[in-house]
């Protein structure tokens, strides 16, 4: 059975955050809170952990994973960002947005869109997620925790523990969360394209 950590949603306990990092560094799969519901996460280089996430969500090889970053300094390592895109991202992060960008060679091929060589990137505003990313020192490979047949992200960590406790290594209990997904913005062309309207206001990109 997975571990269940109760972490304060506004003032995360450093001791527990560091224990979460230890689980990730050992190749673990964790459930953690974001500003758009709970997500599944693992370290970028952990192929086996990524395959476990694919089995949990029944994802095919075309699924686009997201790199969840602590700040803009990490984004430029993993994606090509021109001045216009950088300003748009800077003005709207952290927040409820996922940005689709052209991936650099730092992104493993298995994570990017095969046809377009793109990657989704985001900077969340959830304090637990941000502290976790800061302690880890690199992005989390992540996907929204939507179980097969469901249209919304899971929002109740105790229900998640009941349903996934045998297939993940750690569930972070960060409170009951809203379920609205991020707004997805494609920044691979000259003009931004709103791919999906979610919790983030699409007006800055229109």
């Amino acid at each position: 059975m997975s571990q269940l950590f109760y972490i304060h949603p506004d003032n995360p306990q450093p001791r527990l955050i560091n224990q979460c990092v230890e689980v990730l560094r050992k190749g673990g799969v964790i459930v953690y809170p974001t500003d758009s519901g709970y997500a599944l996460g693992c370290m970028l280089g952990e192929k086996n952990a990524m395959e476990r996430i694919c089995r949990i969500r029944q994802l095919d090889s075309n699924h686009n994973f997201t790199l969840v970053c602590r700040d803009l300094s990490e984004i430029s390592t993993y994606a090509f960002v021109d001045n216009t895109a950088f300003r748009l991202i800077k003005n709207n992060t952290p927040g409820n947005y996922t940005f689709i960008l052209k991936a650099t060679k730092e992104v493993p091929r298995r994570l990017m869109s095969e046809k377009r060589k793109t990657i989704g990137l985001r900077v969340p505003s959830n304090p637990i997620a941000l502290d976790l990313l800061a302690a880890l020192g690199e992005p989390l490979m992540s996907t929204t925790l939507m179980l097969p047949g469901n249209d919304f992200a899971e929002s109740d960590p105790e229900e998640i523990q009941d349903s996934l406790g045998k297939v993940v290594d750690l569930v972070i209990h960060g409170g009951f969360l809203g379920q609205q997904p991020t707004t997805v913005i494609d920044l691979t062309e000259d003009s931004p394209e709103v791919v999906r309207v979610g919790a983030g206001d699409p007006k800055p990109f229109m």
Side-chain angles (χ1 to χ4, degrees):
M1 201 70 177
S2 67
Q3 300 180 76
L4 178 65
F5 288 177
Y6 288 83
I7 298 184
H8 195 284
D10 299 315
N11 298 293
Q13 303 94 314
R15 176 180 58 85
L16 293 178
I17 291 292
N18 289 333
Q19 289 180 27
C20 297
V21 169
E22 287 179 18
V23 172
L24 287 165
R25 292 201 185 282
K26 291 177 181 176
V29 172
I30 71 167
V31 175
Y32 72 102
T34 74
D35 38 13
S36 58
Y38 280 86
L40 290 159
C42 67
M43 291 193 68
L44 197 57
E46 293 292 339
K47 184 180 179 182
N48 290 338
M50 187 193 106
E51 290 172 349
R52 287 170 60 196
I53 290 174
C54 288
R55 288 196 295 271
I56 291 168
R57 282 207 48 195
Q58 297 181 15
L59 301 173
D60 61 29
S61 59
N62 295 319
H63 179 76
N64 284 327
F65 281 91
T66 298
L67 295 185
V68 180
C69 303
R70 59 181 165 167
D71 56 35
L72 293 182
S73 67
E74 290 187 332
I75 287 180
S76 60
T77 302
Y78 299 97
F80 294 104
V81 187
D82 62 25
N83 291 336
T84 302
F86 184 84
R87 281 195 298 271
L88 284 169
I89 296 171
K90 183 179 180 181
N91 290 338
N92 294 279
T93 56
N96 292 296
Y97 297 97
T98 298
F99 300 100
I100 299 173
L101 296 156
K102 292 178 182 175
T104 68
K105 291 181 180 179
E106 295 298 318
V107 178
R109 290 177 64 88
R110 67 180 181 276
L111 298 188
M112 67 177 76
S113 166
E114 184 60 34
K115 290 181 180 178
R116 300 184 62 208
K117 300 293 189 291
T118 56
I119 187 71
L121 291 146
R122 66 173 305 226
V123 180
S125 60
N126 182 282
I128 294 174
L130 288 173
D131 280 12
L132 183 62
L133 291 163
L136 187 63
E138 61 182 270
L140 270 177
M141 194 206 73
S142 189
T143 185
T144 303
L145 178 48
M146 285 193 295
L147 295 177
N150 291 355
D151 295 323
F152 295 98
E154 296 298 308
S155 58
D156 187 330
E158 293 183 6
E159 288 184 2
I160 293 169
Q161 174 74 351
D162 289 341
S163 59
L164 297 182
K166 294 182 179 179
V167 292
V168 300
D169 300 290
L170 168 67
V171 176
I172 296 177
H173 192 310
F176 186 88
L177 302 178
Q179 296 175 297
Q180 194 168 8
T182 58
T183 293
V184 178
I185 310 294
D186 188 331
L187 295 175
T188 58
E189 302 298 335
D190 292 337
S191 299
E193 179 187 354
V194 180
V195 178
R196 179 183 73 195
V197 177
D201 185 356
K203 288 178 184 176
F205 305 96
M206 300 173 76

